[in-house]
Amino acid sequence: MNENRRTRSGHTDHSHPRRRLAMAVTAAAAALALTVGTAASLPAVAASHASTIAASQSAIPFTGQPTDPGQEGGQDGSNGSTQQEASPATTEESTGVVLIDTQLGYENAEAAGTGIVLSKDGLVLTNNHVIADSTKISVTVAATGKTYEASVVGSDSTEDVAVLQLKDASDLQPATVDDDSVTVGDDVTAVGNSEGQGQLQAADGTVTDLGASVTTTAQGSEDSETLNNMIQVQADIVSGDSGGALLDDEGEVVGMNTAASSGSATVTGFAIPIESALSTAESIIDGEQTSTNTLGYPAFLGIGVQQDSQSGQSSQSGQGSQSIQPGDGSSNGQSGQAGQSSQPSQSGSSSQAAGAVVAGVYEDTPAAEAGLTAGDTITRISSTQITDGTGLSSAIAEHKPGDTVSLSWTDADGQTHTAKVTLAEGPAA
């Protein structure tokens, strides 16, 4: 099967038990591996919180080559591909490109990707899926080796674009953006944090199409998603390359690496045209609120809610009421890989009034402080009546971190409760 995968790379922190999963999301980005597991600080039911990019289909990280090198190609056992393998990026290719490492605190996971420096004082462009769900971001400038703490200026999941601000950064060397149009047949080089190894790699290739559309496969908690007007290239793009620079033959940035195929010897990559990515980034930097972006960090209540649909699969709002599938952790694409310890108590929920049924509560969050527990049904936030999980997510999205709201809910015994809660700063949207 030939698929397209996101290119954020995950890696394991052995301080907690977990599995290393190769993630395969068709089309809005290239191969990625994401680590998930049960966090000691989270209730077991909530630890399988679905990532915006989680959808595992393989037990090994994607490398861009067949598992068995002899399954394609000639008698010499080669894979039959003439595609050049990536090699360490040169100093020139590394200019203005940074390595991104994220911690996903509510999933007890880590991930890695790449970014492009936009300004001397530390504005960085990357893919939204590189930083989605992160609670801590560190960025290392490849040219100097210096590492900075980063915050999210804003993100747009529809365009798969995010902007970071590096703390106390100055005199950085921004990437040079191309001012010409890329054309089919142009030689290009994809530069990124391949496989999240902490070293920039450069993969040479050729532009094969413009205006390409790439559609993700709906898996786990994720609906299918389409990115349009992409630059299609034949280059060995792998996990961790997301957010990296696609350079022309003059070393100027023409696109941002976002997706690549898997399942064949020759890799097809996809990049967001740099002018499109910058247009989205500029609206974020200017503080322009749109229907698809999130400025800064979203408000966060700190619960998982029972899925509204009859499919039984989870969905994620990304706006503070992270929806999870209770129990078996299959929201991450492999049943039993994470969060499999227990299901939330939902006794009495079938007879309760319409609302958002709480599947789990994260520790040290506003919901926990208010006394919410699994099986409770949230019915109102301030003046907004809540009928389901989607409504709860929408209501929270109308608020900012630090806002105080009145929360009403019914417990499993039918008792009504009301409390004032101050919404916290959630993971990156």
Side-chain angles (χ1 to χ4, degrees):
M1 178 183 293
N2 193 344
E3 299 175 338
N4 299 306
R5 296 180 170 187
R6 290 195 171 171
T7 55
R8 178 172 73 170
S9 174
H11 48 91
T12 302
D13 174 354
H14 294 286
S15 61
H16 296 289
R18 62 182 66 152
R19 308 285 182 91
R20 192 167 192 257
L21 307 177
M23 315 306 293
V25 174
T26 305
L32 66 118
L34 176 65
T35 304
V36 295
T38 302
S41 60
L42 304 180
V45 64
S48 60
H49 162 57
S51 166
T52 56
I53 59 169
S56 176
Q57 290 187 341
S58 173
I60 59 173
F62 170 63
T63 62
Q65 305 296 337
T67 303
D68 179 2
Q71 66 184 340
E72 297 184 24
Q75 297 178 350
D76 60 357
S78 66
N79 58 33
S81 173
T82 59
Q83 191 169 65
Q84 297 184 35
E85 294 184 1
S87 58
T90 66
T91 300
E92 291 76 13
E93 292 167 336
S94 302
T95 301
V97 184
V98 294
L99 309 162
I100 297 177
D101 290 287
T102 66
Q103 294 182 17
L104 288 67
Y106 291 98
E107 298 174 46
N108 195 34
E110 297 177 344
T114 317
I116 302 169
V117 178
L118 299 180
S119 68
K120 291 183 177 181
D121 60 354
L123 285 174
V124 170
L125 175 72
T126 189
N127 283 129
N128 177 73
H129 74 259
V130 168
I131 55 88
D133 299 332
S134 62
T135 53
K136 184 177 181 180
I137 305 171
S138 58
V139 175
T140 301
V141 178
T144 64
K146 186 172 182 178
T147 299
Y148 299 85
E149 179 183 342
S151 59
V152 178
V153 178
S155 58
D156 191 320
S157 60
T158 301
E159 301 297 330
D160 205 0
V161 169
V163 179
L164 309 179
Q165 175 64 63
L166 308 191
K167 183 178 180 181
D168 299 328
S170 62
D171 296 324
L172 300 186
Q173 178 63 57
T176 301
V177 176
D178 180 61
D179 56 6
D180 299 321
S181 298
V182 64
T183 60
V184 173
D186 284 355
D187 292 331
V188 289
T189 300
V191 180
N193 184 14
S194 301
E195 303 291 359
Q197 295 183 21
Q199 178 183 8
L200 291 180
Q201 297 283 310
D204 292 333
T206 305
V207 175
T208 56
D209 195 12
L210 301 174
S213 294
V214 195
T215 302
T216 63
T217 295
Q219 298 181 26
S221 67
E222 298 311 307
D223 295 329
S224 63
E225 181 182 37
T226 298
L227 293 175
N228 298 311
N229 301 315
M230 303 283 281
I231 301 171
Q232 180 177 307
V233 300
Q234 195 172 96
D236 190 21
I237 296 174
V238 298
S239 77
D241 287 337
S242 277
L246 184 68
L247 307 176
D248 63 12
D249 58 3
E250 297 178 337
E252 298 178 338
V253 181
V254 296
M256 179 167 64
N257 306 326
T258 303
S261 65
S262 66
S264 64
T266 300
V267 180
T268 300
F270 299 88
I272 300 173
I274 192 61
E275 60 271 17
S276 175
L278 287 177
S279 177
T280 302
E282 286 169 2
S283 66
I284 292 171
I285 294 169
D286 292 342
E288 178 184 344
Q289 185 71 64
T290 71
S291 60
T292 59
N293 71 14
T294 299
L295 301 179
Y297 290 85
F300 186 61
L301 180 58
I303 65 169
V305 298
Q306 184 174 306
Q307 172 63 8
D308 300 329
S309 71
Q310 296 179 354
S311 67
Q313 292 189 343
S314 64
S315 62
Q316 177 175 335
S317 68
Q319 298 296 331
S321 61
Q322 277 69 21
S323 304
I324 58 175
Q325 179 175 355
D328 64 9
S330 59
S331 59
N332 286 308
Q334 287 189 348
S335 178
Q337 292 297 331
Q340 57 187 356
S341 300
S342 63
Q343 292 189 0
S345 171
Q346 296 180 11
S347 61
S349 61
S350 60
S351 62
Q352 292 176 354
V357 179
V358 177
V361 179
Y362 293 99
E363 295 180 2
D364 301 320
T365 63
E369 293 175 3
L372 282 163
T373 60
D376 291 344
T377 301
I378 297 175
T379 57
R380 183 178 294 275
I381 287 187
S382 295
S383 61
T384 302
Q385 186 74 32
I386 303 300
T387 59
D388 54 27
T390 300
L392 175 61
S393 296
S394 298
I396 293 175
E398 295 295 321
H399 293 278
K400 298 182 181 300
D403 286 354
T404 298
V405 298
S406 177
L407 187 69
S408 299
W409 71 94
T410 303
D411 63 26
D413 295 324
Q415 298 296 313
T416 300
H417 305 265
T418 300
K420 295 284 188 181
V421 298
T422 299
L423 298 174
E425 182 179 273

